[in-house]
């Protein structure tokens, strides 16, 4: 068990549908701590930087359009193995393959509108957190989270 931070985006479709509270609540109820949070309109440069690994793929232009089209919520959550755990809460990339009970399995229909982003590795998490947040905007470090949150 390792305490980790991960970058979560509540993407434009989820914000437009009024699902922000519901989706944030799922991370909180699982015991993850929100240690940074903001709402913003994403410009193209930041969108391309965030999704750099997908540049050149057929869906890249649509992906950038999707993330820049309407305001989104960016947050950092922290907790035990938070990177893998948050992705389990989010569900498979294609909602049609996502298990019911996951965010995408409960609220999504198509891969192009899959509601939430979660970092996929420790290296991605640190790279992505630095794209969305200044260090001064992050209010705790994992080792400052109370030990009562999880079983050692
Ligand atoms: P992830 O969000 O589960 O990590 P990735 O493979 O990293 O999935 O893809 C990033 C995002 O790009 C997806 O969440 C989805 O919004 C979009 N995407 C991925 N594959 C496709 C596709 O085939 N068509 C349209 N959009 C896609
Ligand atoms: Mg990904």
């Amino acid at each position: 068990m390792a305490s980790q931070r991960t970058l979560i985006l509540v993407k434009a479709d989820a914000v437009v549908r009024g699902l922000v509270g519901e989706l944030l609540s799922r991370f909180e109820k699982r015991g993850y701590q929100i240690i940074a949070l903001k709402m913003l309109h994403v410009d193209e440069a930041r969108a391309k930087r965030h999704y750099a690994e997908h540049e050149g793929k057929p869906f890249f232009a649509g992906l950038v359009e999707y993330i820049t089209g309407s305001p989104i919520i960016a947050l950092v959550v922290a907790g035990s193995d938070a990177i893998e755990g948050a992705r389990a809460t989010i569900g498979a990339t294609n909602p049609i393959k996502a298990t019911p009970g996951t965010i995408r399995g409960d609220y999504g229909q198509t891969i192009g509108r899959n509601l939430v982003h979660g970092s996929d590795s420790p290296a991605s998490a640190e790279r992505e957190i630095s794209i969305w947040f200044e260090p001064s905007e992050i209010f705790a470090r994992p080792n400052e989270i109370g030990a009562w949150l999880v079983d050692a």
Side-chain angles (χ1 to χ4, degrees):
M1 182 194 88
S3 194
Q4 293 179 329
R5 319 189 293 175
T6 188
L7 189 275
I8 303 293
L9 302 177
V10 179
K11 302 193 212 179
D13 54 330
V15 177
V16 167
R17 290 171 61 192
L19 292 172
V20 174
E22 165 63 24
L23 301 190
L24 296 191
S25 167
R26 289 191 172 213
F27 295 104
E28 287 194 312
K29 285 176 185 161
R30 194 155 178 200
Y32 298 128
Q33 193 175 50
I34 296 172
I35 60 170
L37 179 71
K38 65 172 76 164
M39 184 174 197
L40 72 164
H41 212 135
V42 187
D43 64 20
E44 200 177 307
R46 196 196 296 249
K48 286 184 169 170
R49 201 172 150 211
H50 174 79
Y51 279 126
E53 66 177 298
H54 298 298
E55 194 141 21
K57 294 182 183 170
F59 60 84
F60 185 70
L63 179 57
V64 170
E65 201 176 328
Y66 168 38
I67 206 83
T68 58
S70 188
I72 69 160
I73 308 287
L75 62 151
V76 180
V77 305
S80 175
D81 290 320
I83 296 168
E84 185 180 351
R87 281 184 66 93
T89 287
I90 291 167
T93 304
N94 188 344
I96 217 68
K97 300 234 177 353
T99 311
T102 65
I103 289 170
R104 288 167 173 167
D106 284 351
Y107 297 110
Q109 295 181 43
T110 62
I111 195 167
R113 294 289 182 269
N114 63 0
L115 300 123
V116 179
H117 167 85
S119 307
D120 65 6
S121 68
S124 300
E126 289 311 307
R127 185 187 79 85
E128 292 170 1
I129 288 168
S130 74
I131 291 172
W132 298 91
F133 291 95
E134 298 296 330
S136 62
E137 295 175 309
I138 302 172
F139 286 86
R141 295 187 177 280
N143 62 9
E144 292 165 351
I145 293 171
W148 44 266
L149 274 181
V150 288
D151 209 39

